[in-house]
Amino acid sequence: MDLQLHPVDIGIIILYIALTIGLGFWISHRASKNLESYFLGGKTMPWYVLGISNASGMFDITGTMWLVSICFVYGLKSAWLPWLWPIFNQVFLMVFMSAWLRRSNVLTGAEWITTRFGKGTGANLAHISVVIFALVSVIGFLAYAFEGIGKFASIFLPWDLPPEAYAVIILGITTLYVVKGGMFSVVVTEVLQFFIMTFASIAVGIIAMMRVSPEMLDAVLPAGWKNVFFGWKMDMDWSQTLGSVNTVIHEDGYELFTIFFMMMVFKGVLVSLAGPAPNYDMQRVLATRSPREASMMSGFVSLVLFFPRYMMIAGLTVLALGYFIPEMAQMEKLDTELILPYTIKNFIPVGLMGILIAGLLSAFMSTFAATVNAAPAYLVNDIYKRYINPNAEQKVYIRMSYISSVAVVVVGIGFGFIIGSIDDITKWIVNALFGGYAAANILKWYWWRFNGFGYFFGMITGIAASLVSPIIMSAYFPGVSDLYAFPALLLVSGVGCILGSLLTPAEDDEILKSFYKRIRPWGFWEPIYAKVKQDDPDFKKNTDFWRDMFNILVGMIWQISMVVMPIYLVIREWQSFGVALAAFVVTTTILKLNWYDKLEDDTPEPAQV
C-alpha cells in the first residue's frame, strides 16, 4: 500500500529525527562520568520522569500494529490479550516488586545476584546465566524491532527502499544517540516522544469519533464485539460482514477462550512474581532514587500509558470498521496489519500525518533505545569489569559500552534478517523465553534454600528448553498456541532449580541474612528470619503478603478499566464508559488508601558487591 507523504509531513519527520539525535549528543556529557551515570542516569532522575520514559518505551510500533489488529477482530475482548506479556506485571512492580528490587541498590540484574548468592562458584555460575539470558532476550527484542520497523517504514516513508534497508537505517540513527548519551539520552528523548505520541493518539481518537457514527459501527459489528466479558468460547461470528476474520480467529487459537484465559493468567502471575526480566524495565526501577519512588514510578507507568495509547488503537480500529471492510473483503489473504497504514493514508490531514508518523517512529525508537541501553550494562559491568579488567578507568568502561552497544545492535539486526515474522518472534519471547525464565526467578525471592547452583541449572535448562520449544511445537503440535508450552518449560526449569539446590550446599548464613534483612521479602524465609531476629531483636518481618495480594487484584481491575475506557469513549458506548470510569475511581481510591499511603520511605545503603 503506497502512502504519498506531503512535503510538510516529510519535513516534520526529518525535523523530529534531527531533534532526537541532537538531544542525545547535547546531554551526552552527563552520561560519561561513570557506569552509574551511563546506565542509570546517576540515580538522580525524578520518579515521574522515569515513569513517563518507561511508558514511552512500552509504546512500541510493532506492538501497536498488533493491538490494532486484535481490537479489530475481537473488539473489547482484545483488552485481555496483552495479558500474554503480561501487562499486569506493572501492578506487581507497583505493589511490592519494585521496592524489593530497588533496595538491592545495584547496577544490573546480574549484579543483583551477588546480593542473593554471594561470590562463590554457585553465585558466579548464576551470574553468568543471567548475563546469557539478558543477552538472548535483548537480541530477541532487537530482532522483533527490526521486523516491525522495516514493515512500518516501507509502507509509510516515501523512498523506494526494501524493508530491511529502512530497518538498518533507522536502527543506526537510533543507536547513535543511545550510544553517545546512555540513559540520560534515552530518558530525555523518551519524554519528548511520549508527548508527541499522546498528542497524536488523542487526535486519531477524535478524528474517528467525528468520521464514524455508532450506527455505522452497528451495521458491521458481530454480536459480542462491544462486550468486554466472555463465556466458555469466543462466540464471535463475522460471517455476515467479513467471513475471512473467522479464519483469523481459528488460526489464533482463541476459540476456547476461557481455557486460553486461564492459562494466560497462570503464566502471567508466575512471570510477574519472578520480577522484571533484565531489560529496560528493570533498569528504570534501579535508576530511581529510593524504593518508594521505584514503586510510584511503576504505578505511574500504567496511569499515563493506557488512555492515550488506546485512544489511538480504538481510533484506527473504528476508522477501519467504518471504511476499510470492502477492501479487506477483496484480499486473497486477510492482513489486519494494513489497518494502520490505510487509516493514516485516508483520514489523517497534512501536518497531523507527519506528527503521527513521527510519533509512531518515536514509539519504536523509544523501545529500541531502552533495549540497547540495557544490553551493554551486562557486557561491560558484568563481564568486562568483573572478569577481564576490574581496575580500569571509568572512561575505558564508557568506551567499552559504546562498542558493546554497536555489537549488540549488529547481532540483533543479523537475527532480524533470518526471523520468519513478527508473530514468530513475539510468541517466542512472551511464551517460550519467559517460560524458561520464570522458575529460577520466582524461587530466588521466596525460598531461602534456593542457591546459586540451583539458579544456574534452572536458568540454563529453561533457556535451552525455550530455544528448542518452537521446533517441538511446530513438529508435534501444529496449530497449538505456544502459550500451552509454558507449563512444560516451567517444569523442566523447576526440576533444574530444585535438584541443583538440594544436591549442593545452602548459601552461607551471613549472605542469606544480609539479603533478607536488606530486601525484606515475604515467603519461605523462616529459618533465616529466626537467625536475623537473634542478631537484631528489633527487626520486623514483612507481613504484607495478604495486603499485597489484595492490592494486586485491585490493581489489575484498575489497569483494565484504563484500557477499556478510551475504547468505549471512541465508540460512544456511554453506559459502558461510565461503568469503566466508576471502576477506575473506586480502584484508584482503594489503592490510594491501601497502597500509596502505606509506602515505606526507606533509602538503602550502597550494596556490597
Side-chain angles (χ1 to χ4, degrees):
M1 179 182 294
D2 293 328
L3 185 67
Q4 299 299 318
L5 287 180
H6 191 279
V8 171
D9 297 317
I10 295 174
I12 290 171
I13 294 168
I14 293 173
L15 178 65
Y16 167 75
I17 292 174
L19 178 62
T20 301
I21 297 172
L23 270 174
F25 277 87
W26 179 55
I27 62 174
S28 62
H29 66 283
R30 295 193 64 182
S32 58
K33 296 177 183 177
N34 52 46
L35 286 180
E36 187 173 279
S37 294
Y38 188 82
F39 293 121
L40 299 181
K43 297 181 181 177
T44 60
M45 288 181 280
W47 61 269
Y48 48 86
V49 172
L50 287 167
I52 292 173
S53 167
N54 207 3
S56 181
M58 296 176 185
F59 218 138
D60 73 294
I61 184 171
T62 315
T64 300
M65 294 175 77
W66 178 69
L67 290 171
V68 170
S69 67
I70 63 171
C71 188
F72 181 95
V73 173
Y74 300 104
L76 268 296
K77 293 175 183 59
S78 68
W80 305 107
L81 293 178
W83 283 18
L84 277 166
W85 287 95
I87 59 167
F88 60 71
N89 79 312
Q90 289 298 318
V91 176
F92 283 73
L93 286 167
M94 173 184 84
V95 171
F96 69 91
M97 186 58 73
S98 286
W100 293 6
L101 182 61
R102 181 59 184 85
R103 285 174 189 151
S104 65
N105 215 13
V106 294
L107 190 69
T108 68
E111 191 176 274
W112 180 93
I113 290 295
T114 307
T115 70
R116 175 64 175 85
F117 301 123
K119 296 183 178 181
T121 303
N124 287 336
L125 289 172
H127 181 270
I128 291 169
S129 70
V130 176
V131 174
I132 293 171
F133 177 86
L135 294 177
V136 169
S137 63
V138 164
I139 289 168
F141 274 112
L142 292 180
Y144 163 86
F146 178 88
E147 285 290 314
I149 195 59
K151 184 169 186 177
F152 171 82
S154 65
I155 294 171
F156 284 98
L157 299 186
W159 303 282
D160 188 20
L161 296 174
E164 294 81 7
Y166 273 122
V168 170
I169 292 169
I170 295 172
L171 266 58
I173 290 171
T174 311
T175 302
L176 275 178
Y177 76 80
V178 179
V179 168
K180 187 64 178 172
M183 180 167 273
F184 278 116
S185 175
V186 170
V187 170
V188 169
T189 53
E190 282 186 337
V191 170
L192 168 67
Q193 290 157 0
F194 178 81
F195 287 110
I196 292 174
M197 203 67 242
T198 297
F199 173 80
S201 298
I202 293 172
V204 169
I206 292 172
I207 289 170
M209 294 176 73
M210 293 171 61
R211 296 295 300 265
V212 181
S213 67
E215 292 75 20
M216 292 173 66
L217 288 176
D218 290 339
V220 297
L221 290 178
W225 193 95
K226 295 181 180 180
N227 188 358
V228 71
F229 299 107
F230 52 88
W232 183 253
K233 291 188 176 183
M234 178 65 73
D235 284 334
M236 189 171 291
D237 186 4
W238 279 85
S239 299
Q240 299 299 316
T241 308
L242 190 61
S244 53
V245 176
N246 290 334
T247 304
V248 173
I249 295 173
H250 176 72
E251 290 175 350
D252 284 345
Y254 302 155
E255 289 172 306
L256 296 174
F257 196 74
T258 296
I259 295 176
F260 178 82
F261 181 81
M262 292 167 63
M263 182 64 71
M264 190 165 58
V265 172
F266 169 73
K267 174 241 178 181
V269 168
L270 290 177
V271 169
S272 299
L273 284 171
N279 56 26
Y280 61 84
D281 205 11
M282 182 181 286
Q283 295 301 103
R284 295 298 181 282
V285 172
L286 293 173
T288 54
R289 293 184 289 205
S290 70
R292 175 185 172 85
E293 291 200 0
S295 297
M296 291 162 63
M297 183 274 291
S298 295
F300 196 57
V301 171
S302 295
L303 192 62
V304 299
L305 172 65
F306 291 110
F307 198 94
R309 187 176 197 190
Y310 276 87
M311 276 288 285
M312 181 177 69
I313 290 162
L316 294 170
T317 300
V318 164
L319 287 166
L321 287 166
Y323 298 97
F324 195 30
I325 286 180
E327 290 189 33
M328 298 176 83
Q330 302 301 316
M331 293 181 184
E332 186 175 337
K333 180 173 173 57
L334 182 64
D335 186 357
T336 53
E337 290 181 356
L338 293 177
I339 291 170
L340 193 146
Y342 171 84
T343 50
I344 290 179
K345 175 183 178 181
N346 289 282
F347 299 104
I348 308 301
V350 172
L352 181 58
M353 184 183 293
I355 292 172
L356 178 58
I357 293 175
L360 288 167
L361 274 173
S362 74
F364 162 76
M365 295 170 80
S366 295
T367 310
F368 177 78
T371 302
V372 172
N373 180 253
Y378 293 91
L379 288 170
V380 177
N381 188 69
D382 296 310
I383 295 179
Y384 183 77
K385 182 181 178 181
R386 180 165 179 170
Y387 298 111
I388 300 173
N389 194 357
N391 299 312
E393 297 181 9
Q394 289 297 325
K395 63 182 180 181
V396 174
Y397 295 137
I398 299 299
R399 192 180 308 121
M400 289 300 299
S401 299
Y402 295 166
I403 296 169
S404 299
S405 296
V406 173
V408 168
V409 171
V410 170
V411 174
I413 288 174
F415 275 91
F417 273 104
I418 62 175
I419 293 297
S421 69
I422 297 171
D423 191 55
D424 289 343
I425 190 66
T426 303
K427 288 178 177 177
W428 177 74
I429 290 171
V430 302
N431 295 322
L433 186 60
F434 285 156
Y437 167 86
N441 288 280
I442 291 171
L443 293 172
K444 74 183 183 185
W445 293 107
Y446 310 110
W447 184 35
W448 75 273
R449 184 58 180 81
F450 190 52
N451 63 15
F453 288 103
Y455 190 93
F456 170 75
F457 286 112
M459 284 288 282
I460 293 302
T461 55
I463 294 170
S466 74
L467 292 173
V468 301
S469 171
I471 301 170
I472 295 173
M473 290 296 289
S474 62
Y476 296 101
F477 305 99
V480 177
S481 172
D482 289 348
L483 176 64
Y484 294 101
F486 178 81
L489 294 169
L490 186 71
L491 178 63
V492 170
S493 179
V495 169
C497 291
I498 293 171
L499 290 179
S501 295
L502 296 182
L503 295 176
T504 55
E507 300 295 351
D508 183 81
D509 278 356
E510 293 305 313
I511 293 169
L512 294 172
K513 288 191 294 183
S514 174
F515 172 83
Y516 181 71
K517 193 172 183 179
R518 168 185 285 273
I519 307 300
R520 302 200 312 279
W522 36 254
F524 301 98
W525 287 91
E526 202 61 34
I528 306 305
Y529 167 68
K531 293 174 181 177
V532 170
K533 192 74 173 175
Q534 189 175 12
D535 294 343
D536 181 5
D538 295 329
F539 178 80
K540 294 182 179 180
K541 71 189 299 185
N542 184 341
T543 58
D544 294 335
F545 173 78
W546 291 112
R547 180 166 67 87
D548 288 347
M549 292 302 103
F550 175 74
N551 285 336
I552 285 168
L553 180 61
V554 173
M556 290 168 72
I557 300 170
W558 176 69
Q559 195 183 70
I560 204 73
S561 73
M562 289 186 283
V563 170
V564 300
M565 266 196 299
I567 304 177
Y568 281 129
L569 175 64
V570 172
I571 65 175
R572 283 174 277 186
E573 286 287 319
W574 302 118
Q575 184 176 351
S576 298
F577 175 79
V579 172
L581 179 60
F584 171 74
V585 172
V586 170
T587 52
T588 300
T589 303
I590 294 172
L591 290 171
K592 164 67 168 62
L593 298 173
N594 203 42
W595 167 69
Y596 179 79
D597 289 351
K598 296 180 180 180
L599 286 175
E600 296 180 38
D601 192 10
D602 55 335
T603 302
E605 296 297 323
Q608 301 300 312
V609 295

